[in-house]
Amino acid sequence: MANTPSTPQMGTHDGVPSESLTTSDEAPRSRFCGFRDFLDITDATVTTSRFGRFFHLSGTGHPNEIAGSTFFREIRAGLTTFATMAYIIAVNASLLSQTGGTCFCDLEDRQACDNIDSYVTCKEEVRRDLITATAAVSGLASFMFGLLTNLPVAIAPGMGLNAYFTFQASHPIPIVVGYNASGPISYRMALTAVFVEGLIFVFLALTGMRQWLVKLIPATLKTATGVGIGFFLTEIGLSYSAGIGAITGGWTATPLALGGCPQELIDPASGMCSSGQMTSAKLWVGVFCGGIVTAFLMAFRVKYALIIGIAIVSVLSWPRNTAMTYFPHTSEGDDRFEFFKQIVVWHPIQRTLNQLDWTFEGDSKQFALALFTFLYVDIIDATATLYSMVRFCGVVNPRDGDFPRSTIAYCTDAAFISVSALFGSSPVTAFIESGAGIAEGGRTGLTAIVTGLCFIVSIFFAPIFASVPPGATGCTLVLVGCMMIRQVTQINWRYIGDVLPSFVVMTFIPFSYSVAYGLIAGVFIYAVLNGLIGIVVFVSGGYLEPREYDLKEYWTWKGSGRAPWFVRAIRHHRRGTLADEDAHQSSSDGIDGGFPMVHDHHDSIGRSGGSSRKEGIAISEPPVSPTPPGRWIG
């Protein structure tokens, strides 16, 4: 094969310094009849092209190029993210269809509506519509998010929010649609609330309030949120609904219990396995093929390790008449199998597209309550998740806790909340499963674009992607959770005022099954505990001071970094030019404008640019608040 001229150094490839992924006489890599060389040359050519420069891939000469990022690596990461998220196509459709959608039933007992054949048929049509809608909105949102922000974060309808949308009517204060429209507002009205919520989010992002909210959260709590999401992913991966089924709810006996029994042996009254714990074939196939095999491949740095594990478990679960089949001989299993056999299908959206209700018929107070609930849950959940994913890929600026194109990121996320309502779906959000793609090496928006394209393709191959069983992705989520909790060492463990709130966040996120509730609980404990301590210190004139008080992490209500643009515009009129204001802000961010520069030697998943001006900044360190004279950052 002809020699290929080597290209400039591209950083590292799988942790080992290497030249650009081309071949040369000095390092022959011909394998499989030259196929490997062909892939390497293709990868290097695309990576260093104008296309690669647009995404800041390594070796393009872009001032902010991302070391180690290559075209094929981003594709691999995007495929991995999609593989871990594919379950949302079927699960979201299944959950939302329980509302009945636009189907009509005037029975007082809404449960009895399921005995009407025409209503059941209509609900099935709604479910098929929502399969198409979920894939379409996830594809469009992820594609545009990656294109506009260059961040490896995928967007899709959130699991917690679709549960709110559907089942919160069983809450003591019902607020949304409910099973078979048993709630106080209709399906159409709920979609209108979601649409308005998205518009409000766009306003908050444009004014900088969403970014400012992130900056106001203490750095130790933001780090704890990432750890809590890691535990949350682990819990999801171990559950029956989206994992291998190793744990189950203990109901009144214990809050959590060992599972692992076949699903038919779970007692519906207690939620526990009546017998046969840890005997499920699906569990052990998931553990060995999806977990141990994947980890073994990862140990040897085998590319596509996560995808290989998911594919093996999926293929093993497709044959019928086996203990681990995803298509048992039940009514549900038969429906899955009939859908699976179609392989390629196009189902146009007929019953859920553009079903917003602007008449506001019924109780307007319930509409306002639903809007407020979606708003406060989503703004905390989506913002915290997006920030944690961006921080996981190492792009957060340690100076001010912000990340590149944050306004565009928050606006794109918000805009597609409204778009999801037009498709008939619950709100979209940044998916924590994006961590799987980041762990696979995704560092740019190309990862999200590939994930989006996969969702768009899945519109036609929905029978295949909707048939990836939960057990196939369960151990992948556990492995990603394992990688995410590594940042637990960066929490300030030396002062109780930082330790306890951080611990509450880390534990409450998985136990409450909500990122929003976990962060709310942590912020509440942080405010009360440190508020009481601050009052005692202030009243005593500093005489009464807790032990290790000097080791606490500094926090100020003013936040860190630059204020939102409208605040700076107001200051511009009061103090002079906007440039003078920015210069003043920059010089006041720390002592003499400086910040501690810390190398992170043990974190290999960070995302850093190729320019020397970024050297010395720990890309995975938590954001550092401005340090007043005489105070050391704990």
Side-chain angles (χ1 to χ4, degrees), residues 577-595:
T577 65
L578 192 59
D580 291 341
E581 170 63 18
D582 291 341
H584 171 75
Q585 180 70 26
S586 176
S587 63
S588 63
D589 277 349
I591 303 173
D592 297 327
F595 291 84

Side-chain angles (χ1 to χ4, degrees), residues 35 47 102 173 248 256 268 310 318 345 356 414 439 452 506 536 565 568 608 616:
F35 182 68
T47 297
T102 56
I173 306 178
T248 182
L256 201 63
I310 293 172
W318 286 341
V345 63
L356 305 187
M506 289 186 293
V536 172
W565 65 267
R568 290 184 283 121
S608 62

Side-chain angles (χ1 to χ4, degrees), residues 84-319:
T84 58
M85 289 176 59
Y87 72 89
I88 195 63
I89 297 174
V91 174
N92 187 61
S94 178
L95 278 174
L96 294 181
S97 65
Q98 299 306 307
T99 65
T102 56
C103 301
F104 177 74
C105 176
D106 58 357
L107 296 181
E108 213 88 8
D109 181 10
R110 294 293 180 172
Q111 300 280 347
C113 293
D114 289 335
N115 297 324
I116 303 175
D117 292 339
S118 60
Y119 188 80
V120 173
T121 302
C122 179
K123 282 181 66 175
E124 178 61 20
E125 292 176 359
V126 168
R127 188 184 74 86
R128 297 289 169 86
D129 281 1
L130 288 169
I131 287 177
T132 303
T134 302
V137 73
S138 301
L140 291 173
S142 298
F143 183 92
M144 293 305 300
F145 190 87
L147 183 67
L148 297 176
T149 68
N150 201 31
L151 294 172
V153 179
I155 309 292
M159 280 299 296
L161 292 166
N162 56 20
Y164 265 105
F165 191 99
T166 305
F167 296 117
Q168 195 68 8
S170 61
H171 193 272
I173 306 178
I175 55 175
V176 282
V177 185
Y179 184 79
N180 287 350
S182 57
I185 65 175
S186 66
Y187 172 78
R188 291 184 173 91
M189 188 74 73
L191 292 178
T192 308
V194 172
F195 183 87
V196 175
E197 176 207 351
L199 298 181
I200 295 175
F201 269 16
V202 172
F203 172 77
L204 294 177
L206 288 175
T207 57
M209 296 305 296
R210 229 175 140 183
Q211 299 88 316
W212 201 240
L213 173 65
V214 173
K215 295 177 183 179
L216 287 177
I217 299 174
T220 189
L221 295 190
K222 286 188 281 192
T223 304
T225 301
V227 177
I229 289 176
F231 286 126
F232 191 16
L233 281 174
T234 302
E235 183 181 27
I236 294 173
L238 294 175
S239 68
Y240 276 88
S241 60
I244 60 176
I247 59 174
T248 182
W251 202 242
T252 55
T254 56
L256 201 63
L258 182 67
C261 62
Q263 205 154 358
E264 57 270 17
L265 295 180
I266 295 180
D267 185 352
S270 65
M272 299 176 65
C273 291
S274 57
S275 61
Q277 289 179 323
M278 305 304 290
T279 61
S280 171
K282 297 178 181 178
L283 166 69
W284 292 111
V285 169
V287 168
F288 283 103
C289 298
I292 295 178
V293 170
T294 301
F296 175 81
L297 296 176
M298 291 174 66
F300 287 94
R301 298 184 179 273
V302 175
K303 300 175 182 178
Y304 305 98
L306 296 176
I307 296 178
I308 291 173
I310 293 172
I312 291 174
V313 179
S314 297
V315 172
L316 289 176
S317 68
W318 286 341

Side-chain angles (χ1 to χ4, degrees), residues 309-342:
I310 293 172
I312 291 174
V313 179
S314 297
V315 172
L316 289 176
S317 68
W318 286 341
R320 306 196 81 175
N321 302 316
T322 63
M324 73 281 293
T325 182
Y326 190 55
F327 309 117
H329 290 284
T330 61
S331 58
E332 183 180 5
D334 292 339
D335 288 342
R336 289 177 187 166
F337 190 64
E338 289 301 318
F339 188 50
F340 172 72
K341 288 192 300 182
Q342 297 180 47

Side-chain angles (χ1 to χ4, degrees), residues 282-539:
K282 297 178 181 178
L283 166 69
W284 292 111
V285 169
V287 168
F288 283 103
C289 298
I292 295 178
V293 170
T294 301
F296 175 81
L297 296 176
M298 291 174 66
F300 287 94
R301 298 184 179 273
V302 175
K303 300 175 182 178
Y304 305 98
L306 296 176
I307 296 178
I308 291 173
I310 293 172
I312 291 174
V313 179
S314 297
V315 172
L316 289 176
S317 68
W318 286 341
R320 306 196 81 175
N321 302 316
T322 63
M324 73 281 293
T325 182
Y326 190 55
F327 309 117
H329 290 284
T330 61
S331 58
E332 183 180 5
D334 292 339
D335 288 342
R336 289 177 187 166
F337 190 64
E338 289 301 318
F339 188 50
F340 172 72
K341 288 192 300 182
Q342 297 180 47
I343 301 180
V344 179
V345 63
W346 162 245
H347 181 84
I349 304 176
Q350 298 173 335
R351 293 183 174 272
T352 64
L353 187 64
N354 193 20
Q355 295 293 329
L356 305 187
D357 180 7
W358 296 103
T359 61
F360 298 102
E361 294 179 356
D363 193 349
S364 59
K365 293 181 180 179
Q366 291 293 343
F367 171 81
L369 182 58
L371 174 60
F372 174 77
T373 303
F374 280 129
L375 193 63
Y376 94 82
V377 172
D378 205 10
I379 195 172
I380 297 175
D381 196 334
T383 304
T385 302
L386 177 57
Y387 180 86
S388 295
M389 290 299 102
V390 172
R391 189 175 184 278
F392 185 44
C393 71
V395 74
V396 172
N397 187 345
R399 290 181 180 271
D400 56 15
D402 205 356
F403 56 91
R405 306 186 188 181
S406 59
T407 299
I408 297 177
Y410 289 127
C411 284
T412 304
D413 168 57
F416 276 96
I417 289 176
S418 296
V419 173
S420 68
L422 294 176
F423 278 86
S425 177
S426 55
V428 297
T429 184
F431 245 63
I432 54 180
E433 281 84 351
S434 300
I438 296 172
E440 192 69 26
R443 293 293 180 270
T444 74
L446 190 55
T447 296
I449 289 176
V450 171
T451 302
L453 291 175
C454 288
F455 271 113
I456 293 173
V457 170
S458 71
I459 295 175
F460 306 97
F461 292 91
I464 299 295
F465 295 114
S467 300
V468 175
T473 59
C475 283
T476 297
L477 298 180
V478 173
L479 289 170
V480 174
C482 174
M483 286 181 276
M484 287 198 66
I485 66 170
R486 291 189 295 183
Q487 56 190 311
V488 71
T489 58
Q490 298 169 15
I491 293 173
N492 181 23
W493 294 103
R494 294 167 290 185
Y495 176 62
I496 187 63
D498 292 330
V499 171
L500 181 60
S502 299
F503 180 76
V504 169
V505 171
M506 289 186 293
T507 54
F508 223 76
I509 285 177
F511 293 154
S512 66
Y513 219 72
S514 169
V515 177
Y517 287 159
L519 187 56
I520 290 172
V523 170
F524 173 77
I525 297 297
Y526 185 94
V528 173
L529 178 60
N530 288 287
L532 293 175
I533 293 174
I535 291 174
V536 172
V537 173
F538 176 78
V539 172

